[in-house]
């Protein structure tokens, strides 16, 4: 008789090869239970729960993990820069299993139809409540890694208040931020005043006096253990996002100040030091190697999900994914002022297997009710998989770029390499909410400008260096700017300024001329004076006109040096 683990693997594998019918989905769901998903052999008495990069997704979504996530320099070939089957082999995860689907792009559409959507704040609430019930309320710590308040329709309409109200029901012990700051200084301060827990940022100073804007650290006691939580906001916010929205605040990695906070924590008797970070994985890996005394780094920003911690010396680096797909549980055995052992589980939040928590479900329904008509409008449907996440153009990016080319009468279009935005399966209706999930932000104007071929190359080179600089401290996260109307080659191992070549206008097949000016459309400019219709209006008009979107994998970018 097969063990339960063997049955789960057989069920998942069967679902992967059968047609995505109701029967195969029911079969897959039978193999997933809430108890099985949450089951973990406990270690010690202290549990740290981590969520990050929810991007205001209240409801369950499909979210395809990247097929391309390249690492350069010392991190080439290391996680999180391992994807697909190679990642599964590295961790011994059975292809077609529930965890394989959650962590990779492999057979995504087929498995998504079998396993259903993931996330949903009401399901996350159930997971957190179950861990607290098992371990004891006084033995758990819940930490939010930021990118929580923005990037959905309801968060845009309420200016983040929907997420603040829902997260209050989860009762976090601390949070940090990034996209939160695109609400502007005044609104951020208003929302922080509402929080019943600290909003931490050891690396934000006011520009006049270089004084801290937010608390750097909070000390809490759980399970008889003194835990120091140091907060780190996204260090490149004024570069990656509009500086004019946060004119009085300065950011940075500020490694020395983190080291000072660690020393202060130890001086105050901390048994465990946690860095709650929105730096991005590679930045945090480097920082952990350079700042001694940090026991745990809870990383965020780059949306990586790893089934095991990465050890950097004595520091555990935890990556908990994005869009509510995962909740991390880290158990620590602490004695004598140090960590003696740990246990870890990356919990996949399969929304069909995990019951919604009633109070949170009611709150979400209340928030969404006034907006249901706007959210549920059917614009068209897709014949293929629409997704964004990956170092280069995804099929959803192609739709956005095509909409700009047509609606702004442009030769070339540019769309930012954001890592947020849910996926749609072949045959799905495309609703207005799907468009907002990929575009909802506070600076959405779609511009049309003249740009020379030389300037366009400079833009691509600059973004490429943000992503592929071999020194993680010069990487700003995100992915390559998405392009429409052109193709190009990129050597990711080349030095700054010489990665991009073979820029070609796809309509004619002609090489771009350095001195010629082209009509370029784009959106999410960080310049305050940018004018144009919001990007979601253009994309929705485009889909309404097309009715059926037929995405195809393109060869817009030719990659070498990987």
């Amino acid at each position: 008789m097969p063990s339960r683990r063997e049955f789960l693997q057989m069920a998942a594998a069967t679902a992967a090869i059968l047609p995505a019918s109701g029967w195969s989905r029911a079969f897959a769901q039978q193999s997933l239970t809430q108890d099985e998903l949450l089951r973990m052999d406990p270690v010690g008495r202290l549990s740290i729960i981590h969520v990050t990069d929810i991007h205001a997704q209240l409801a369950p979504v499909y979210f395809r993990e990247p097929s391309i996530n390249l690492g350069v320099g010392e991190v080439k070939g290391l996680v999180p820069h391992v994807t697909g089957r190679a990642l599964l082999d590295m961790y011994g995860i059975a292809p077609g299993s529930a965890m394989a689907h959650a962590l990779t792009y492999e057979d995504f559409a087929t498995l998504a139809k079998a396993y259903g959507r993931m996330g949903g704040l009401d399901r996350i609430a159930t997971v957190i409540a179950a861990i607290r019930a098992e371990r004891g309320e006084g033995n758990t710590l819940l930490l939010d890694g930021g990118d929580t308040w923005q990037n959905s329709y309801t968060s845009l309409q309420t200016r983040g208040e929907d997420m603040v109200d829902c997260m209050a029901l989860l009762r976090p012990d601390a949070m940090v931020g990034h996209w939160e700051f695109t609400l502007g200084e005044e609104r951020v301060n208003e929302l922080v005043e509402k929080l019943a827990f600290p909003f931490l940022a050891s690396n934000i100073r006011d520009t006049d006096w270089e004084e801290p804007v937010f608390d750097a650290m909070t000390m809490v006691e759980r399970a008889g253990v003194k835990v120091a939580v140091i907060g780190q906001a996204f260090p490149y916010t004024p570069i990656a996002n509009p500086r004019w929205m946060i004119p009085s605040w300065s950011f940075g990695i500020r490694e020395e100040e983190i080291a000072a906070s660690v020393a202060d924590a130890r001086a105050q008797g901390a048994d465990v030091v946690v860095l709650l970070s929105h730096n991005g994985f590679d930045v945090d890996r480097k920082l952990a190697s350079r700042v001694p005394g940090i026991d745990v780094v809870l990383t965020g920003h780059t949306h990586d999900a790893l089934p095991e911690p990465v050890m950097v010396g004595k520091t555990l680096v935890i990556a908990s994914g994005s869009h509510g797909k995962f909740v991390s549980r880290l158990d620590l055995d602490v004695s004598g002022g140090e960590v003696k052992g740990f246990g870890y589980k990356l919990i996949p939040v399969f929304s069909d297997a995990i019951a919604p928590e009633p109070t949170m479900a009611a709150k979400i329904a209340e928030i969404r009710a006034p907006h249901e008509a706007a959210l549920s409008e059917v614009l068209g449907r897709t014949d293929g998989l629409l997704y964004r996440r990956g170092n280069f153009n995804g099929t959803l990016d192609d739709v956005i770029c095509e909409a700009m080319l047509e609606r702004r009468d442009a030769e070339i279009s540019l769309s930012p390499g954001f890592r947020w935005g849910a996926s749609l399966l072949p045959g799905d209706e495309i609703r207005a909410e799907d468009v907002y999930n990929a575009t909802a932000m506070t600076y959405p104007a779609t511009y049309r400008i003249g740009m020379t071929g030389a300037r366009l190359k400079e833009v691509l080179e600059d973004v490429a260096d943000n992503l592929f600089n071999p020194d993680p401290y010069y990487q700003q996260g995100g992915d390559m700017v998405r392009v429409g109307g052109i193709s190009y080659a990129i050597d990711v191992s080349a030095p700054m300024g010489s990665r991009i070549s073979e820029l070609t206008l796809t309509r004619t097949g002609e090489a771009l001329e350095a001195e010629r000016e082209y009509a370029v459309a784009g959106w999410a400019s960080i310049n305050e004076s940018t004018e144009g219709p919001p990007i979601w209006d253009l994309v929705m008009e485009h889909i309404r006109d097309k009715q059926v979107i037929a995405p195809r994998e393109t060869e817009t970018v030719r990659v070498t040096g990987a």
Side-chain angles (χ1 to χ4, degrees):
M1 183 174 181
S3 67
R4 179 162 181 77
R5 179 180 296 274
E6 290 168 338
F7 173 74
L8 286 167
Q9 293 177 351
M10 287 188 294
T14 303
I17 61 175
L18 287 174
S21 61
W23 184 87
S24 66
R25 181 167 183 173
F27 189 41
Q29 290 167 7
Q30 287 173 10
S31 73
L32 294 175
T33 67
Q34 182 172 307
D35 288 346
E36 184 70 27
L37 291 173
L38 270 61
R39 184 172 295 124
M40 174 179 167
D41 293 330
V43 174
R45 295 181 57 209
L46 172 66
S47 289
I48 298 174
I49 307 167
H50 182 226
V51 294
T52 191
D53 294 281
I54 293 173
H55 286 284
Q57 296 303 309
L58 293 172
V61 297
Y62 297 116
F63 184 81
R64 175 191 183 272
E65 299 296 333
S67 55
I68 301 176
N69 186 14
L70 301 176
V72 294
E74 293 181 357
V75 303
K76 182 176 181 179
L78 303 181
V79 294
H81 307 292
V82 181
T83 64
R85 185 59 180 265
L87 182 74
L88 301 181
D89 291 344
M90 178 176 288
Y91 289 105
I93 299 170
S97 65
M99 203 61 178
H101 171 59
L103 287 170
T104 75
Y105 68 94
E106 297 278 306
D107 297 320
F108 181 81
T110 299
L111 292 175
K113 289 179 179 179
Y115 287 114
R117 298 175 189 267
M118 298 189 70
L121 215 56
D122 50 1
R123 275 72 166 187
I124 291 172
T126 295
V127 173
I128 292 168
I131 296 171
R132 284 172 169 160
E134 177 193 343
R135 299 289 278 169
E137 186 81 21
N139 298 334
T140 59
L141 192 64
L142 172 61
L143 300 173
D144 174 7
D147 275 2
T148 305
W149 297 350
Q150 278 292 273
N151 308 131
S152 72
Y153 181 80
T154 56
S155 68
L156 191 67
Q157 295 299 310
T158 66
R159 299 174 64 215
E161 193 147 9
D162 62 331
M163 293 305 298
V164 170
D165 290 347
C166 284
M167 292 301 290
L169 298 177
L170 295 183
R171 295 179 289 114
D173 293 284
M175 75 172 291
V176 295
H178 169 210
W179 274 93
E180 287 75 8
F181 303 123
T182 64
L183 291 166
E185 290 180 10
E186 182 178 356
R187 182 57 172 167
V188 170
N189 284 327
E190 288 174 357
L191 293 177
V192 168
E193 284 296 316
K194 292 188 62 174
L195 303 181
F197 52 88
F199 186 98
L200 301 176
S202 65
N203 58 330
I204 301 181
R205 298 285 184 269
D206 73 75
T207 54
D208 290 331
W209 303 101
E210 278 294 299
E211 293 180 345
V213 176
F214 304 101
D215 290 341
M217 178 176 70
T218 185
M219 291 278 287
V220 296
E221 186 165 334
R222 296 287 190 275
V225 175
K226 289 185 178 180
V227 182
V229 181
I230 302 167
Q232 181 82 344
F234 179 52
Y236 297 111
T237 300
I239 300 172
N241 305 103
R243 182 78 184 89
W244 57 268
M245 291 184 168
I246 43 172
S248 304
W249 299 345
S250 67
F251 293 66
I253 295 174
R254 303 187 193 271
E255 185 182 280
E256 298 82 0
E257 295 181 24
I258 296 174
S261 292
V262 173
D264 183 33
R266 295 298 184 185
Q268 292 184 45
D271 301 301
V272 175
V273 174
V274 176
L275 180 65
L276 178 61
S277 173
H278 207 87
N279 281 332
F281 193 95
D282 287 339
V283 176
D284 279 328
R285 174 161 39 200
K286 177 176 178 177
L287 189 149
S289 73
R290 292 167 58 88
V291 178
I294 301 172
D295 296 298
V296 178
V297 176
L298 302 174
T299 191
H301 178 61
T302 42
H303 293 194
D304 308 299
L306 296 176
E308 295 177 10
V310 171
M311 295 296 303
V312 181
K314 294 182 178 180
T315 304
L316 296 161
V317 182
I318 304 295
S320 304
S322 68
H323 291 75
K325 284 182 64 175
F326 302 96
V327 173
S328 279
R329 170 181 165 181
L330 175 66
D331 289 358
L332 296 178
D333 181 12
V334 183
S335 63
E338 61 179 300
V339 176
K340 301 292 188 181
F342 73 90
Y344 177 70
K345 184 162 187 177
L346 181 69
I347 301 169
V349 184
F350 285 99
S351 62
D352 288 336
I354 295 175
E357 193 279 320
T359 302
M360 183 68 81
K363 185 64 177 177
I364 292 171
E366 174 192 328
I367 288 168
R368 289 174 60 89
H371 308 288
E372 280 298 343
L375 293 171
S376 61
E377 180 193 353
V378 176
L379 308 171
R381 67 175 177 85
T382 178
D383 271 354
L385 177 65
L386 294 179
Y387 66 92
R388 167 176 279 168
R389 179 72 178 91
N391 286 157
F392 305 101
N393 280 45
T395 52
L396 182 55
D397 300 301
D398 290 338
V399 175
I400 295 171
C401 285
E402 184 180 340
M404 287 189 288
L405 289 174
E406 294 187 3
R407 299 287 158 177
R408 296 296 274 161
D409 189 24
E411 297 170 278
I412 297 166
S413 57
L414 304 175
S415 185
F418 297 146
R419 296 190 173 191
W420 48 268
S423 305
L424 285 85
L425 304 186
D428 278 358
E429 292 180 328
I430 305 174
R431 300 177 182 270
E433 182 171 16
D434 300 314
V435 175
Y436 285 114
N437 282 344
T439 59
M441 59 185 304
T442 54
Y443 49 107
T446 308
Y447 59 83
R448 184 183 186 275
I449 59 173
M451 187 180 295
T452 66
R455 177 60 184 144
L456 185 63
K457 183 179 186 297
E458 288 175 3
V459 169
L460 294 177
E461 290 281 9
D462 185 55
V463 179
D465 196 61
N466 292 342
L467 183 59
F468 298 118
N469 192 299
D471 184 345
Y473 277 11
Y474 289 95
Q475 296 173 9
Q476 296 172 22
D479 287 310
M480 271 299 289
V481 60
R482 279 51 172 137
V483 298
I486 60 170
S487 63
Y488 66 92
I490 179 170
D491 182 350
V492 299
S493 64
M496 181 178 180
S498 58
R499 294 185 178 94
I500 306 297
S501 63
E502 300 177 26
L503 279 158
T504 303
L505 200 63
T506 54
R507 178 173 53 84
T508 64
E510 298 173 351
L512 261 65
E513 300 174 32
E515 302 303 319
R516 180 187 159 187
E517 188 170 272
Y518 298 88
V520 177
W523 66 288
S525 169
I526 61 175
N527 298 319
E528 186 173 6
S529 59
T530 302
E531 295 181 351
I535 184 63
W536 49 78
D537 280 356
L538 267 68
V539 175
M540 284 194 273
E541 289 171 6
H542 175 74
I543 297 170
R544 287 189 192 103
D545 282 355
K546 295 287 186 182
Q547 281 298 295
V548 177
I549 299 297
R552 64 187 187 282
E553 296 290 344
T554 63
E555 296 186 3
T556 301
V557 184
R558 186 171 65 82
V559 182
T560 60

